[in-house]
Structure formats: C-alpha cells, structure tokens
Amino acid sequence: MMAKAMHHGCKMLLGVTGGIGSGKTTVANMLGAKGARIVDFDLLARKVVEPGTGGFDNIVGYFGTQVVAEDGTLDRKRLSKIVFNDVEKRKKLEAFTHPAIFKAFFTRVKAISAAEPDSVILVVIPLLVELNLQYLFDRLMVVYVPRDVQIRRLARRDNITADEAAVILKAQIPIDEKLKFADFVVDNAGTLEETREQVEGLWKALNKVNVAK
Ligand code: ATP
C-alpha cells in the first residue's frame, strides 16, 4: 500500500538486498547502466550525518568527540564498532539517523517518479529484511552468493580474515533466509560476466512486471 502511495507514477519500486558484500552495488550498477534509477540507502545514510546536519550534532552530543575523525567528519568505523555489541547505543544511533534517511528516501523517490514516470527505481538497502521494510516495495530482489563466497569476498575487499568476516555476517539474517522474500534473485557467485548475462534477462523481466497485479 505504502509503495502505491509513494509511486507518483514510477513503473516499479524494487527493493534490492542481499548480504554484506554479496554484490548489491555491483548488480545495481549493471542495472543502472541499462536504465534503472538507483537509490542507495548507504549513500543517504552518509549524507544525513555530514558535519552541519542535525544527525551529526545529535550523534556527537551522545557519543562524544571520540566519534569525530581528524578531518572533522564522523568516524563511521569507530561508531560501528561502538554500537556493534550494544543494542541500546545502536537504537540511539538509529533514532538519530533513520527518520532523516527515510525522509531523504521518500523525497528522492518522489522526485524521480515525477521526472520519469516510466522509471524502474532500485532501492539498495543492505538490511532491508532485518528492518522489515518489505512493505515499502512493489517487488524484492536478492543478490545472492553462498555464505563461503560471501566470506571470501568480504575478507578480500575489507582486508580482514575469514574469521573476522564470519563475525560480521553473524549480525545479519543469513542470506539463505532472505531468499524467501525474493521475487527476483541474481546469483552472483560466478564471474561478473555471468552476472551480467543474468542482469540482461532480469532487466527485460522487470520491465514486463505490472505492479498492479
Ligand atoms: P556491501 O554490503 O558491503 O555494500 P555489496 O553487496 O554492495 O557490499 P559489492 O560491493 O557490489 O557488494 O561487491 C563486494 C565485493 O565483491 C567487491 O569488491 C566487488 O568488486 C566484488 N564482486 C562483486 N561481484 C563479484 C563477482 N561476480 N566476482 C568477483 N568479485 C565480485
């Protein structure tokens, strides 16, 4: 229902998720090249805590200057570490950021829909299922890789050990669970070329969907 209310004429609002490092950005960029519009929650999340925002002030007010980096921006890595094992602090952080993220999200979707009524809008949200945001979207797409591939890529990209990567994965709903919510699945365990081939077919399928049905 919510998705309909937000539409303002866009063809489809597609929620995109997966696990950390499963290839959400990679696949979204491929679909972007085909003509999809992309809204990236991580980018919005960064914007709402830039210096000068209310989000920044609230966070520094609560967590102290220990979370401010030398260049005056928020030390997001430090902040992640602090809230990783502390539910109360994590909730505080979310209360400071989520309302502004959602406001920016709705504004973006409305603007794109108004300018391009036929657009397919992809909204990339790493924790879409964890946050129960399925109701916002017409359809859901999961970018999937098996857990062992996820650990290997995450370890390589972030220069951490496989054990450290496994600990990070523990904080998320297992990617296999997320598949249950998917209308579309991209299997990104193979080569980029193999993923690109799937994206070709997917782009056609997305454009055939009638969200009213
Ligand atoms: P995050 O959850 O951290 O935002 P993500 O799901 O957006 O990650 P990407 O950043 O797209 O994932 O990909 C994770 C890493 O794996 C990147 O370094 C990317 O270059 C690499 N990668 C993605 N797809 C493939 C592939 N098919 N083959 C090899 N490497 C890949």
Side-chain angles (χ1 to χ4, degrees), residues 152-213:
R152 201 162 59 232
R153 288 203 188 139
L154 184 61
R156 186 188 308 153
R157 189 193 61 183
D158 292 354
N159 211 3
I160 55 179
T161 66
D163 284 347
E164 285 165 334
V167 171
I168 293 171
L169 286 196
K170 272 217 175 113
Q172 302 194 339
I173 291 177
I175 193 163
D176 287 273
E177 290 283 318
K178 296 183 182 181
L179 280 182
K180 293 178 193 159
F181 299 98
D183 299 294
F184 301 98
V185 178
V186 176
D187 180 345
N188 186 37
T191 63
L192 287 173
E193 201 38 57
E194 282 165 336
T195 296
R196 203 168 282 121
E197 277 165 26
Q198 291 175 63
V199 165
E200 289 289 331
L202 186 70
W203 178 240
K204 289 193 186 108
L206 290 176
N207 279 287
K208 280 191 196 135
V209 172
N210 179 350
V211 296
K213 288 185 183 155

Side-chain angles (χ1 to χ4, degrees), residues 19-27 42 126 153 157 188 190-192 195:
I20 182 170
S22 73
K24 299 176 294 292
T25 309
T26 303
V27 170
D42 273 349
R153 288 203 188 139
R157 189 193 61 183
N188 186 37
T191 63
L192 287 173
T195 296

Side-chain angles (χ1 to χ4, degrees), residues 7 11 77 89 108 136 144 198:
H7 259 164
K11 196 177 168 74
K77 272 218 170 110
K89 285 183 178 155
R108 280 293 292 143
L136 287 172
Y144 179 81
Q198 291 175 63

Side-chain angles (χ1 to χ4, degrees), residues 8 20 44 47 57-58 65-66 71 116 119 124 126-128 146 152 158 167 173 177 191-192 194 202:
H8 298 271
I20 182 170
L44 299 180
K47 270 210 151 66
D57 293 344
N58 282 328
T65 49
Q66 59 166 337
D71 65 357
E116 297 164 52
S119 54
V124 183
L127 298 180
L128 193 155
R152 201 162 59 232
D158 292 354
V167 171
I173 291 177
E177 290 283 318
T191 63
L192 287 173
E194 282 165 336
L202 186 70

